[in-house]
Amino acid sequence: MGVRRAMEMVLAEVNKGKGGLLTFGPLIHNNQVLGLLASKGVKPIEDIKGLQDGTIAIRAHGVSPDKRRAIKDSGLKIIDATCPRVARVQAIIRSYSRKGYSAIIVGDKDHPEVVGLMGYGLDHVYVINDPDDVSRLPHLDRPFVVAQTTQNEEKYREVVGVLRERFPDVLVFETICEATHDRQREVRSFADHVDAVVVVGGYHSGNTRRLAQVAREAGLPTFHVETEKDLDKKTLSGMNTVGVTAGASTPNWMIKKVVGKIEGIRGRKEAALFRWTSHTLKFLVLSNLLGAAGAFFFAHAASVLSETNPGWAFPFLAFLYVFAMHVLNRFLDKGASAYNDPERAAFLRRHKRMLVFASITAVAGALALSYSIGVATFLALCGLSFLGIVYSIPVVPKRIRNRFPYAKIKDIPGSRSLSEALAWTAVIGVLPLLAIDRIIWPAAILSSLVVFLMSYTRSAIFDIFQVQGDLIVGTETLPIIIGKKRTTALLKFIVLTTGTVLVAGAILRVVGPFSYVILIPLFLLCFCLLAHERRWLYPSLRFEALVEGTFFVAGFVALIWQAL
């Protein structure tokens, strides 16, 4: 949390476009991320001497009071990204030192966090690293002990045990970060379930090295890798199950690259059918064929709900439009995909010609099909296609672009989820109304509202997955504007509202009893939301397929309803 929070604060400041940003020491112990930050004008410094203006970020490790005072006196604007857990340890040391206690810190004396913590002690502060160091401590009347927040938990327990033998009255504070505690506990729990553990993170990251050490102490073959290129594919191919964990400074996109590469290694005992099925599902998700097929089935369910039943032409229109617009927009706006979904970014590069040709063919096919339905449908689809393509390209002339905060529609904060939901609503809920003579307006409006709410939830769930990459490129999605927790709470409210609309519509006879049946895919969408919030499922291609599967279910229950 602390490292992620510091990254988000620095990226948010950089994306304001007010010039370069300094960090007091490297923001993160990861060479790849430091390279990325450098490309965005973020420069680490170790000394503020000679600096009088600008902005400097205090990293998650924190700094000593003396250094903080020096930074403040220099006139630099401060962004304090000290991890709240580290700030708590600082407060403990300051408070108890003032009461006359002697501070003992269990950690690495040269680590930036420990160096900063030492400055909060008023008198002597002692740093020890293992049980043997306890005997070298002088006699202390009123000692207390804290741990570096990323310290090995078992080692801390051992040190505390020896300290209590020598100083029976020692005050012990539990200051190891919950994330560190959880990762170390989870790695130990791998012991009876995996053949090996891959630990992802910088080779010079202390907490990542400790995580690898914990895995080895648990008796697990352990591979510490910095990137997916460091994987020992030959050795891993002989294993059935591989556990993956990562250090605190490892960003999501690097973890995803490693996980994707491991999933791509063919195991010696892996069944050909399973591998073919896995590859097929991956192709369908990455090419957006699965999402487009979901739109096809959802369009059929919407026609049954609205009681319009305009035939199968409109579900095909929805399939072609959604496929084409999603693919074209990914190529027009591929900045964040390298970080949000590196596997998809690589897939798009690999199959660029095929996908561009397929999407252009889909647009042409959709326009031809819409023209065969009627001129009004054709003109409406032309307008929707134009808006879909314009979404990701600059609409403000370059010479006057500096006068406007947003050059593209996609630059408007929160526009991505809203634009996708409106597009789905237009092609699924509104377009069919142009081709029928008798419209049951209450049912049509209710159906379009349900389409909008469910498709908005779908898109916003994906936005939650993609916060890290969107922050890097400066895309202001809903989770970035209001935060992940508030976005999740909002989506729960939207799902509840959708269910209420469906039930009320059936009770008031605005729509038929099929309205109750649509609650089935709605419950599945709610499950996807809860699965991510409570970490039942890892954000992955399979999870994305599960979200898209919600709309397949809507179509299948519609078919069953009609058959019955």
Side-chain angles (χ1 to χ4, degrees), residues 19 47 117 130 154 236 249 296 307 327-328 472 501 528-529:
D47 191 354
L117 290 176
D130 55 54
E154 286 194 351
L236 291 174
S249 55
F296 172 90
E307 301 176 11
V327 171
L328 288 175
I472 290 168
V501 167
C528 293
L529 191 60

Side-chain angles (χ1 to χ4, degrees), residues 285-307:
V285 173
L286 295 177
S287 65
N288 197 52
L289 283 169
L290 195 70
F296 172 90
F297 284 105
F298 196 34
H300 178 62
S303 71
V304 176
L305 181 63
S306 65
E307 301 176 11

Side-chain angles (χ1 to χ4, degrees), residues 325-345:
M325 292 303 110
H326 278 238
V327 171
L328 288 175
N329 273 289
R330 287 194 185 279
F331 281 113
L332 290 170
D333 180 34
K334 54 190 176 182
S337 64
Y339 307 109
N340 286 328
D341 196 343
E343 190 171 11
R344 178 175 267 116

Side-chain angles (χ1 to χ4, degrees), residues 393-415:
I393 61 176
V395 293
V396 178
K398 196 170 184 179
R399 63 180 181 276
I400 60 170
R401 204 169 289 170
N402 60 338
R403 302 179 193 173
F404 296 87
Y406 312 116
K408 308 171 188 176
I409 298 173
K410 85 169 190 69
D411 293 336
I412 299 172
S415 65

